[in-house]
Amino acid sequence: MNMITTTYKDPDLDGYGCAMAYAELLRATGKDAQAHIWGTPHIEVQWLISEFDLPLANGPTEDTDADVILLDASYSKDLPEPLRVERVTEIIDHRVASHLDAFTNSTNQIELIGAAATLVAERFKKQKIEPSKESALYLLGGILSNTQNFSGISTDRDKKMADWLWSISKAPQDLAMQMFKAKSDLSGERLRDTLFGDLKTMSIHGNTVAIGQLEIIGISKLISERKDELTSALTEIQVQEKSDY
């Protein structure tokens, strides 16, 4: 049976890297698995691929009979069309806020941790399989990005796996700074595209909350120079998502 590893549409580095690395781990254990990605990956994903000449995920597929593993996502609306919730056999996510009721056929690993990439790296380690240099770099990038280089939500497990992945990937020690510089270029339409590309909508205490996210260097300068563009984009998001906030 074919297996698809994927994440939400327009993924960040954690989701994209997990899909790529987990497909490699499954293949190493004898399964026929391929990563498929929908939409346009975030700027940092595009930069990492270009900078280190990394392999690309496959594009959308119409294979609705394949088993699906969903990574860095656990809401049914995160599953790209035309994939079906009943074909999802496994979910790996690092957010407590999840929506698992719709997935009736999956085994789930949901842990409050800095990055889903840490959970995937731990699976390599547990099975005593060393990821390729490319997969190690994808997973390391996902951890550094999601934890904001360990200045945000992170745990000792994230740091331990990052150190292990660094030893395999031989990535530069300033990788986090290079990634943040790359995704801080929000010239032209990149500002709006980044807000919409990293958009999440959730229900909090009965209110619909739409959240756009910018993780960049020089946020004060951006706000002072482009406040009107930011306000316009946020208003557009609120209308599109029919959100209370």
Side-chain angles (χ1 to χ4, degrees):
M1 172 66 71
N2 293 338
M3 303 181 77
I4 293 171
T5 59
T6 193
T7 185
Y8 57 89
K9 185 180 178 182
D10 303 323
D12 67 2
L13 185 51
D14 193 24
Y16 193 104
C18 282
M20 292 293 288
Y22 199 51
E24 177 180 291
L25 178 59
L26 291 171
R27 290 194 298 271
T29 60
K31 297 180 174 64
D32 184 9
Q34 297 293 330
H36 288 267
I37 294 296
W38 277 253
T40 303
H42 288 192
I43 294 170
E44 62 185 346
V45 182
Q46 299 176 44
W47 176 84
L48 195 74
I49 290 170
S50 175
E51 184 73 11
F52 296 98
D53 193 25
L54 297 181
L56 298 171
N58 298 296
T61 177
E62 298 294 326
D63 186 3
T64 57
D65 292 325
D67 287 340
V68 178
I69 296 93
L70 187 61
L71 299 120
D72 193 33
S74 48
Y75 277 75
S76 57
K77 65 181 179 59
D78 291 333
L79 188 66
E81 294 182 354
L83 301 181
R84 298 178 291 160
V85 292
E86 62 268 23
R87 298 304 307 174
V88 176
T89 60
E90 189 173 10
I91 293 174
I92 301 174
D93 197 7
H94 65 109
R95 301 174 185 86
V96 171
S98 56
H99 182 225
L100 299 174
D101 292 346
F103 300 100
T104 57
N105 300 315
S106 66
T107 57
N108 311 310
Q109 182 182 11
I110 311 292
E111 296 190 42
L112 184 58
I113 199 169
T118 297
L119 301 176
V120 173
E122 287 178 339
R123 293 196 177 204
F124 273 96
K125 192 83 168 174
K126 184 177 181 179
Q127 296 189 48
K128 298 181 180 180
I129 297 174
E130 183 173 296
S132 66
K133 181 178 179 180
E134 293 78 12
S135 285
L137 189 51
Y138 267 130
L139 293 174
L140 174 61
I143 294 172
L144 294 176
S145 175
N146 261 42
T147 64
Q148 297 180 36
N149 198 22
F150 308 106
S151 65
I153 296 175
S154 63
T155 68
D156 289 341
R157 290 165 63 188
D158 297 296
K159 187 65 169 64
K160 182 178 179 180
M161 286 300 98
D163 289 342
W164 183 57
L165 294 166
W166 238 310
S167 70
I168 297 169
S169 67
K170 310 300 182 184
Q173 289 301 306
D174 66 342
L175 177 62
M177 182 57 68
Q178 289 189 44
M179 289 196 305
F180 275 98
K181 283 182 178 179
K183 67 180 181 179
S184 294
D185 178 10
L186 297 178
S187 56
E189 289 297 312
R190 279 188 166 191
L191 174 58
R192 180 187 178 281
D193 291 346
T194 299
L195 279 170
F196 276 81
D198 204 15
L199 180 62
K200 294 178 177 62
T201 303
M202 59 188 69
S203 178
I204 301 178
H205 298 301
N207 296 302
T208 303
V209 181
I211 302 172
Q213 179 170 270
L214 299 177
E215 297 176 340
I216 65 169
I217 299 167
I219 189 66
S220 297
K221 184 174 186 289
L222 178 74
I223 291 173
S224 66
E225 294 179 352
R226 304 178 70 182
K227 183 177 180 180
D228 288 346
E229 288 179 68
L230 279 167
T231 303
S232 176
L234 291 172
T235 300
E236 189 178 348
I237 286 171
Q238 187 170 22
V239 172
Q240 173 185 293
E241 299 299 306
K242 299 178 182 178
S243 60
D244 299 303
Y245 296 97

